[in-house]
Amino acid sequence: MTIKDTPEEWEIRATETPFVGNKTSVRTDDVVMPDGSVVRRDYQVHPGSVAVLALDDEDRVLLIRQYRHPVRHKLWEIPAGLLDVPGENPLHAAQRELYEEAHVKAEDWRVLTDVYTTAGGCDEAVRIFLARGLSEAEGERFEVEDEESDMEHARVPVDELVRRVLAGDLHNNCLVVGVLSLVAARAGDGLDALRPDQAPWPARPFES
């Protein structure tokens, strides 16, 4: 048996979209089960996201802290954002987010991992990049608004982040997955063996 996720789509007898929001929507599908029964499944339709684990020369990860209203928390996170344009190149989106949220650029980019954040109730797919060779971006700082206007920044050593993840102090999906993936990659074939920055992404196809 090969342990690998595989694409598959069960028959849909009916579908509707009872809610359409600014960036996401809710879809309801009547799906045929293996025994022939039909069940209703509601889920959020999401454009997809990118996130950036930016690692500096002192082995610290660049973090941001902002308010997340659905969970009523201020969370420490890594820079991230939506794929606003269908078919958008995820690397370009990640570079934009790193600039806009941290005013930082990076010389070396790798794909760290790809995840579905909540596959039972949302089709959001996230590509998490590893960015190294950090330096301050040129030009004016991006003008932030809404939750981002209260954003804080920090650079935290990888070892401390691992301890805080396992202690239950940090909860952001991309931060948790990114940091633990970084440690696993180092313990395995090394960071240079990670996929290239333009590696195919079947969940959100794009043009390089």
Side-chain angles (χ1 to χ4, degrees), residues 104-177:
V104 166
K105 63 181 180 179
E107 295 299 321
D108 185 82
W109 291 82
R110 308 280 174 142
V111 174
L112 187 54
T113 190
D114 299 325
V115 295
Y116 289 116
T117 55
T118 320
C122 178
D123 72 350
E124 181 184 15
V126 181
R127 169 156 282 188
I128 303 175
F129 288 90
L130 172 65
R132 294 177 292 176
L134 307 184
S135 61
E136 185 170 354
E138 301 167 356
E140 296 291 327
R141 285 187 172 270
F142 182 77
E143 187 173 342
V144 297
E145 58 184 11
D146 301 328
E147 289 89 347
E148 293 181 352
S149 63
D150 190 41
M151 187 182 293
E152 302 170 56
H153 295 80
R155 296 196 182 200
V156 183
V158 172
D159 290 346
E160 181 179 347
L161 289 178
V162 172
R163 287 194 297 270
R164 293 197 173 276
V165 166
L166 299 180
D169 295 332
L170 300 172
H171 305 88
N172 174 258
N173 183 290
C174 292
L175 172 59
V176 171
V177 172

Side-chain angles (χ1 to χ4, degrees), residues 15-21 25-29 40-43:
T15 186
E16 59 183 80
T17 306
F19 171 80
V20 177
S25 60
V26 173
R27 183 174 296 161
T28 298
D29 291 339
R40 178 156 288 194
R41 292 288 179 259
D42 304 314
Y43 58 100

Side-chain angles (χ1 to χ4, degrees), residues 18 22 27 38 51 66 71 85 98 100 135 151 169 191-192:
N22 184 33
R27 183 174 296 161
V38 178
Q66 61 178 318
V71 295
V85 180
L98 185 60
E100 291 181 356
S135 61
M151 187 182 293
D169 295 332
L191 300 185
D192 290 337

